[in-house]
Amino acid sequence: MRARDYAAAWALERQVIAGRDPSTRDDPRLPYHQRWLWDGRAFDGVDVLVRCYHGLGDTLQFARYLPALARRAACVTVEAPARVHPLLADVADVTLHAFDPAHPLEPRDCDIEITELAGALALRPDHIPFPYLHASAAPIPAGTVGLCHQAGEWDRDRSLPEALLAPIAARHRCLSLVAAPSTLPVLNPRGCPFDMAATAALVAGCAAVVTVDTMVAHLAGALGRPTWLLLKHDPDWRWDPRRHDSDWYPTLRLHAQPRGGDWAPAVAAVARELDAFFDDQGETIHGQPAEPVGARLLG
């Protein structure tokens, strides 16, 4: 997948599926993100249940495949966290159901985990029209840059110290896309609302986004916003640290650490490219103070 040899990746996936023990399918002894669901059965013309067992970012990344699945299945139900429903509502003609671990939906003719859709449909990510998510932009000043320095607790190596983004915040009007108070001179020092729809509105209103590898990266990419993604030295399979582009999101620009834990060169490269991006548009906001904006306006 990292080398973009999708046909080879899907062939390996089919081999893995063929060798699996059916009794371990959706094994309740495993954490949800380690379970497998699709056993290779056909989904054309039948009732399909898509379960979202991975994180919010994974759900947003693979939601691009729901329209293609809906065109082939008789009907599609998507069992996803309720927080993400506002973003999925207009992606495809599907029925959304809140995922409740204590009360999961009964299996359908074909069950599949959302991250299994790429191989099942044999569709390259760059064959999907963009953007595939849509959100109304929040009323924020033109030329604002969204900043996200914090990733999930399960992989703290993806996060970086917020202070490293200070040079960017000093040269551009910025807002925080982290649901926590910020020490930077941003428009929303109290942080971003802990709400997916509100976060999507902020991202949609930003002229550019700078983020680490987290849900915000997938949200900004799926919304088609110009985005700079900061990656740890050895990221997972979806990002190639040797490249600066990605098949997953055409508006994404990648910068990986040259060495584990060394964020400074990647941040410096992003800062330079961000300056050039705004200079090309005549919108650079050098040295202008940012007036705090209330959470109600930003939300």
Side-chain angles (χ1 to χ4, degrees):
M1 295 293 283
R2 179 180 280 184
R4 303 180 178 185
D5 189 348
Y6 300 106
W10 296 329
L12 287 172
E13 183 179 25
R14 288 191 291 272
Q15 292 177 23
V16 170
I17 290 172
R20 282 172 172 164
D21 179 357
S23 68
T24 65
R25 185 168 176 263
D26 205 8
D27 189 342
R29 297 169 298 178
L30 294 175
Y32 283 103
H33 71 278
Q34 293 180 3
R35 300 185 191 184
W36 65 278
L37 286 170
W38 189 55
D39 57 5
R41 73 181 64 187
F43 42 79
D44 292 279
V46 301
D47 187 356
V48 179
L49 174 60
V50 178
R51 301 190 194 265
C52 300
Y53 281 173
H54 285 67
L56 296 179
D58 299 284
T59 296
L60 297 180
Q61 179 182 4
F62 287 90
R64 73 188 68 207
Y65 292 108
L66 292 175
L69 178 64
R71 288 192 292 269
R72 295 177 57 173
C75 61
V76 176
T77 300
V78 179
E79 189 179 40
R83 290 178 57 203
V84 79
H85 285 196
L87 298 179
L88 300 182
D90 298 325
V91 172
D93 183 16
V94 301
T95 299
L96 296 174
H97 191 279
F99 174 50
D100 179 358
H103 304 284
L105 292 177
E106 292 295 323
R108 305 296 170 87
D109 297 327
C110 178
D111 279 18
I112 192 166
E113 209 282 326
I114 196 165
T115 62
E116 297 173 317
L117 288 177
L121 292 163
L123 272 177
R124 293 170 52 101
D126 53 351
H127 288 171
I128 305 297
F130 274 82
Y132 59 88
L133 292 185
H134 304 276
S136 298
I140 57 180
T144 298
V145 178
L147 302 178
C148 177
H149 70 280
Q150 190 175 89
E153 289 293 321
W154 68 276
D155 187 358
R156 296 188 179 184
D157 288 343
R158 294 183 181 183
S159 299
L160 56 80
E162 185 184 41
L164 288 178
L165 301 180
I168 293 176
R171 293 180 62 80
H172 304 280
R173 182 183 289 117
C174 294
L175 62 82
S176 174
L177 294 171
V178 176
S182 175
T183 61
L184 298 178
V186 293
L187 297 173
N188 56 337
R190 286 180 288 172
C192 175
F194 188 67
D195 178 274
M196 289 292 295
T199 302
L202 290 177
V203 171
C206 286
V209 172
V210 176
T211 181
V212 294
D213 184 10
T214 186
M215 180 274 295
V216 169
H218 297 287
L219 177 59
L223 289 170
R225 305 311 301 146
T227 303
W228 279 260
L229 177 58
L230 291 157
L231 297 168
K232 65 181 186 178
H233 177 64
D234 185 22
D236 68 15
W237 56 269
R238 73 198 83 203
W239 315 119
D240 186 345
R242 301 167 301 177
R243 301 183 64 99
H244 294 299
D245 62 338
S246 169
D247 282 354
W248 293 99
Y249 304 106
T251 60
L252 214 62
R253 180 82 174 161
L254 310 180
H255 283 284
Q257 297 173 338
R259 294 165 296 278
D262 186 6
W263 286 109
V267 173
V270 169
R272 290 192 300 269
E273 292 184 8
L274 199 61
D275 282 349
F277 171 76
F278 280 107
D279 286 340
D280 287 345
Q281 301 181 52
E283 295 181 357
T284 305
I285 309 169
H286 297 289
Q288 291 189 9
E291 292 296 328
V293 180
R296 180 174 299 178
L297 172 62
L298 286 173

